[in-house]
Amino acid sequence: MDVFLQTIVAGVLKGGLYALIGIGMTLIMGVMGIINLAHGQLMMLAMYVTFVLSTMGVDPYIALFIAMPLLFLLGVAIQKFLLNPLIKADTILPENQVLMTVGIGMVVTEIVRFIFTSDYKSVTTTYSERTFFLGNISFSVALTIAFAIALAFTGAMFWFLLKTDLGRSIRATAQDKDAATLMGVNTGRITVITFGLGSGLVAAAGCLLAPVYYVFPDLGGPFTAKAFIITILGGLGSTVGAIFGGVTLGLAESLGATYFGMEFEDIVGLTIFILVLLFLPGGFKRLTKV
């Protein structure tokens, strides 16, 4: 029983971080209607910012306040100068914005590789390997703090979306872009801000993940795939669904690693993904209704 509870705790803590990664992508998906396939690469970039700052003695949790604004501005620039011009461009490819995000991800990866090489880096802190116990269940200090901060960011994002004019404009644009435009919402500005917010959220996830994960240029691809799975599990455009999707993926990976072996971690997660697609095509959004 202790092993099972330990596995659940590990899965939920990991799932909290996954949820933060997924919310950024689903926010962009909801407003722009495209999947940002450079999402993981932007997280990787935030992890390198955290790594560089850590070499100067800056704690990863303090680095949040530097990496998030940087990635927000980068996201704004990407949307404004690279993606928005493609909306009006004539092209034979209908999803040229998605293809652009693929190219952006590749460019970011190679720039980082050129600067830092492909060597694995790590952000070492005094709490990276510390644990505390509740009964017989151990909790990673770094993952528990990361989980708490991820919950705080998620709560703040919900408050922002529900209680502020800008948040309501983002929700209106996500629900019906044409109607929002007719109601006076500047949807072009909203898409720019939303891409920035999504990039800032995934930057937060990168900073929180840095103390417990290796940093290397190619980690962006796998995390883009995880964010995509979470977005589909949650239901396209659903921030509440993304939370359920992130926790579900974290639990599935944790249970797979414990009961089948580490090499089955991703296989179990992808199997859950396929089962949800088969039996709950709309994702958890069909259950949460938001």
Side-chain angles (χ1 to χ4, degrees):
M1 190 61 183
D2 284 348
V3 173
F4 176 73
L5 290 176
Q6 182 68 69
T7 304
I8 295 297
V9 166
V12 170
L13 292 179
K14 187 193 289 185
L17 276 178
Y18 284 175
L20 192 59
I21 297 170
I23 287 174
M25 178 178 273
T26 204
L27 202 60
I28 294 169
M29 173 67 210
V31 171
M32 299 171 56
I34 65 165
I35 292 288
N36 171 23
L37 293 179
H39 203 64
Q41 283 80 359
L42 294 177
M43 191 192 82
M44 175 268 293
L45 197 57
M47 292 177 77
Y48 270 99
V49 171
T50 308
F51 167 73
V52 171
L53 291 172
S54 73
T55 62
M56 303 175 187
V58 179
D59 187 90
Y61 301 134
I62 303 297
L64 268 172
F65 298 100
I66 299 172
M68 286 184 69
L70 281 178
L71 267 291
F72 173 84
L73 292 175
L74 179 62
V76 165
I78 288 173
Q79 178 63 38
K80 187 170 184 179
F81 298 112
L82 298 179
L83 297 180
N84 273 355
L86 295 180
I87 295 175
K88 298 176 182 177
D90 292 330
T91 174
I92 58 172
L93 298 172
E95 302 295 347
N96 50 357
Q97 285 181 295
V98 178
L99 296 178
M100 175 61 87
T101 65
V102 174
I104 291 168
M106 294 170 70
V107 169
V108 169
T109 299
E110 295 311 316
I111 290 175
V112 169
R113 196 192 311 281
F114 176 76
I115 297 173
F116 296 98
T117 75
S118 296
D119 293 345
Y120 282 39
K121 315 288 185 188
S122 62
V123 177
T124 306
T125 65
T126 55
Y127 48 80
S128 289
E129 297 180 358
R130 281 189 188 171
T131 57
F132 66 93
F133 285 83
L134 289 179
N136 294 324
I137 309 301
S138 68
F139 291 76
S140 161
V141 170
L143 277 179
T144 304
I145 295 173
F147 181 76
I149 295 176
L151 280 184
F153 273 119
T154 304
M157 179 52 63
F158 272 99
W159 178 85
F160 170 76
L161 291 174
L162 292 174
K163 300 295 184 182
T164 67
D165 290 342
L166 183 57
R168 293 188 189 100
S169 297
I170 291 173
R171 287 166 52 213
T173 305
Q175 289 170 7
D176 191 325
K177 197 170 184 176
D178 293 333
T181 303
L182 289 173
M183 294 300 291
V185 175
N186 184 342
T187 53
R189 175 172 167 265
I190 291 299
T191 57
V192 170
I193 292 173
T194 302
F195 203 99
L197 283 175
S199 302
L201 285 174
V202 81
C207 294
L208 297 174
L209 199 60
V212 293
Y213 210 87
Y214 285 112
V215 185
F216 56 100
D218 293 315
L219 72 77
F223 275 96
T224 295
K226 287 183 192 296
F228 177 72
I229 291 170
I230 293 164
T231 301
I232 300 298
L233 282 176
L236 296 175
S238 170
T239 47
V240 176
I243 296 172
F244 284 95
V247 173
T248 299
L249 183 63
L251 284 172
E253 289 186 355
S254 188
L255 289 167
T258 299
Y259 293 104
F260 298 101
M262 287 300 293
E263 65 272 25
F264 290 93
E265 181 180 87
D266 289 334
I267 295 174
V268 173
L270 289 171
T271 303
I272 296 294
F273 172 60
I274 292 171
L275 289 175
V276 169
L277 283 182
L278 284 174
F279 298 107
L280 197 64
F284 293 117
K285 185 178 180 180
R286 291 187 62 182
L287 303 177
T288 61
K289 306 295 182 186
V290 289

